[in-house]
Amino acid sequence: MMTSLLSRKDRLIRIDPREADDLIALLQLVGIPCGAPTAGSQPGEVCIPLPSTVGDAELGRAEAILLEFNRMRSTRAMHHAQDN
């Protein structure tokens, strides 16, 4: 799975389509509005747009959530690899 990335400049989050709904739910839970996922420029990715009204504080929270989200995914993948 790809690592989820936030582009502050473009206000876009690039993520695996299978995980987009989970991330959107987390972001909305902490008050970060998101647009609907759209097809990304790379195969196997979607982009979640953040509105232009999202400020630095919200972008910082989004980055922190993405960091933990990616960390959780890599830990889960490591445990699955050890089980197999």
Side-chain angles (χ1 to χ4, degrees):
M1 286 198 182
M2 67 175 285
T3 299
S4 303
L5 302 169
L6 169 65
S7 168
R8 279 181 169 254
K9 178 183 170 202
D10 298 328
R11 297 192 185 283
L12 280 177
I13 297 172
R14 299 180 192 291
I15 187 169
D16 187 294
R18 296 169 287 189
E19 298 178 327
D21 290 340
D22 291 339
L23 181 61
I24 289 171
L26 283 171
L27 292 171
Q28 290 176 341
L29 185 66
V30 296
I32 301 171
C34 304
T38 59
S41 60
Q42 301 297 317
E45 83 171 4
V46 295
C47 294
I48 301 170
L50 302 176
S52 60
T53 57
V54 169
D56 285 336
E58 289 93 349
L59 288 172
R61 285 198 310 267
E63 284 177 331
I65 289 170
L66 276 175
L67 178 67
E68 289 303 317
F69 193 79
N70 287 328
R71 188 176 295 152
M72 175 197 68
R73 286 179 36 229
S74 66
T75 301
R76 184 177 58 211
M78 182 180 66
H79 287 295
H80 283 284
Q82 290 175 352
D83 291 341
N84 292 329

